Amino acid sequence: MTTSMPCTEGAPAAAAARPARKRFNMKKWAPYIFISPFFILFAVFSLFPLLFSIYLSFNQWEAASGVEAMQWVGLDNYKYALSDPWFLRSLGNTVWLALASGVPQHLVAIPLAAFIHNSFKRSRNLVIGIYFLPFITSSVAIAMVFNTLFSRDYGQINVLIEWCASLPLVGGLFPAESIDWLGSSLFIKPAVAFVIFWRYLGWNLVLYLSALQVIPKDLYEAATIDGASKRQQFWYITLPQLRPMIYLAVTLTIMGNLQLFEEPFVLVAESSGVSQSVMTTAIFVYKTAFSSGDFGTASAISWLLFLIIASTTWVNNRIFSRNERKEVR
């Protein structure tokens, strides 16, 4: 009786033919694992809301009805927003406040930064901190302070105007009666623009001071030897050297002022009769979404505002690039 032995000659060849299982390489995937929380949070809290708002702008939707209640309307929300007189009025208010508060910020911040840079040495940081303090102050605190200052009966601004009106030579240039700054549609815009200017002046001042500190002192020394005055040095040395920072600061001002929300919303009560005079586009988006419940139109308006900001920033870039090419020539 013979017994057959199992053939084992082909086993090593079969084992070699099977692909080897890849082992998990911890060193290779560790960087991606550690950085993944950022991308997860960005996708959940930034990318998804952004994409959802784009999709929502083409739908009619009330949040209380649930996601199933969405109705596709195409470009109707955009057409309705562009034909809405309140949207056009809010856009006009936004542009007015942006120009009235934004242009003086830079016209004052640039020479003020040059003065602080040249006049203050040891106490420079203290002066900068004083000017920068309004930028980090709470909006509610700012509203409380300026509501008191702009008060019709007891505000210090009206007290100062009354005192100026009593002067013998220039008294006729000032009104004799108290001004209702926050209750008149004629004065509410300048009052809000002044608050915005006061709050963001320090931010631009810090930007320009940081740029002034890197300008080579040799340029000013050579200009002084050549007999250039302080005014000529400021015009022909300081301003050209500040051009990159001016471009950055103006771009930030355009982007920020066209999205104004906090200052007019907190300073002026919605129940007052002049709240519509300072209703910016951002406030109109908020009211359309949360007061009227029309989230589709609100999303469309927000994307129209984005296009306006992007086009304005592009124009600003073209203007600075063209002036820079002219100087090079």
Side-chain angles (χ1 to χ4, degrees):
M1 178 176 181
T2 59
T3 58
S4 62
M5 299 295 296
C7 182
T8 58
E9 294 180 357
R18 291 196 301 267
R21 295 178 59 185
K22 293 184 178 180
R23 301 178 64 181
F24 181 75
N25 192 346
M26 188 63 184
K27 293 182 178 181
K28 178 180 179 182
W29 292 99
Y32 301 100
I33 295 175
F34 284 119
I35 204 175
S36 61
F38 166 76
F39 290 102
I40 294 174
L41 294 175
F42 175 78
V44 174
F45 296 102
S46 296
L47 185 60
F48 172 74
L50 183 68
L51 299 177
F52 183 74
S53 66
I54 296 176
Y55 176 74
L56 185 58
S57 65
F58 297 101
N59 289 269
Q60 185 179 2
W61 181 54
E62 293 184 3
S65 303
V67 182
E68 298 81 4
M70 280 190 178
Q71 296 181 0
W72 180 268
V73 294
L75 296 175
D76 290 348
N77 289 331
Y78 291 91
K79 295 178 182 178
Y80 175 77
L82 292 174
S83 61
D84 188 0
W86 285 108
F87 168 69
L88 299 178
R89 183 175 180 179
S90 68
L91 187 60
N93 294 336
T94 303
V95 173
W96 195 98
L97 291 173
L99 293 176
S101 62
V103 175
Q105 288 178 24
H106 303 278
L107 295 180
V108 174
I110 294 176
L112 183 60
F115 173 75
I116 294 175
H117 179 72
N118 296 325
S119 302
F120 295 90
K121 300 300 181 181
R122 296 182 178 179
S123 59
R124 181 185 301 171
N125 293 334
L126 177 61
V127 175
I128 295 173
I130 293 174
Y131 277 101
F132 191 73
L133 185 61
F135 180 75
I136 60 176
T137 304
S138 171
S139 301
V140 178
I142 291 175
M144 293 177 61
V145 170
F146 279 95
N147 269 315
T148 304
L149 293 176
F150 285 122
S151 176
R152 180 176 182 179
D153 299 325
Y154 306 104
Q156 296 301 314
I157 295 179
N158 281 331
V159 172
L160 179 62
I161 292 176
E162 291 177 2
W163 178 79
C164 294
S166 62
L167 297 177
L169 297 178
V170 297
L173 300 177
F174 298 90
E177 299 179 355
S178 300
I179 299 176
D180 189 7
W181 292 99
L182 301 180
S184 173
S185 58
L186 181 63
F187 297 104
I188 185 65
K189 284 184 179 180
V192 174
F194 175 78
V195 174
I196 299 170
F197 160 78
W198 171 82
R199 186 176 187 185
Y200 293 98
L201 174 64
W203 166 255
N204 292 285
L205 183 65
V206 171
L207 293 179
Y208 292 129
L209 277 171
S210 63
L212 285 171
Q213 293 176 1
V214 299
I215 297 178
K217 296 182 180 180
D218 299 342
L219 297 177
Y220 294 100
E221 294 176 357
T224 303
I225 295 175
D226 292 340
S229 62
K230 294 293 183 181
R231 185 176 180 179
Q232 291 174 331
Q233 293 179 19
F234 174 78
W235 189 260
Y236 294 104
I237 297 178
T238 304
L239 285 181
Q241 293 294 321
L242 285 179
R243 182 176 296 277
M245 184 57 70
I246 293 175
Y247 166 70
L248 174 63
V250 171
T251 302
L252 294 177
T253 300
I254 292 174
M255 296 172 61
N257 284 11
L258 291 180
Q259 301 178 74
L260 284 175
F261 181 86
E262 282 185 292
E263 289 78 15
F265 185 81
V266 177
L267 190 63
V268 182
E270 187 177 356
S271 58
S272 63
V274 296
S275 61
Q276 306 297 337
S277 300
V278 290
M279 182 182 64
T280 61
T281 306
I283 296 178
F284 183 62
V285 171
Y286 170 82
K287 290 183 177 181
T288 303
F290 296 99
S291 297
S292 303
D294 192 354
F295 285 84
T297 304
S299 299
I301 296 173
S302 64
W303 280 103
L304 289 174
L305 180 61
F306 166 77
L307 293 176
I308 294 173
I309 295 174
S311 59
T312 308
T313 306
W314 179 81
V315 171
N316 178 59
N317 184 23
R318 296 288 295 178
I319 292 174
F320 274 87
S321 300
R322 182 177 301 176
N323 292 335
E324 186 175 357
R325 287 196 296 267
K326 288 182 180 180
E327 290 185 357
V328 172
R329 292 178 183 177

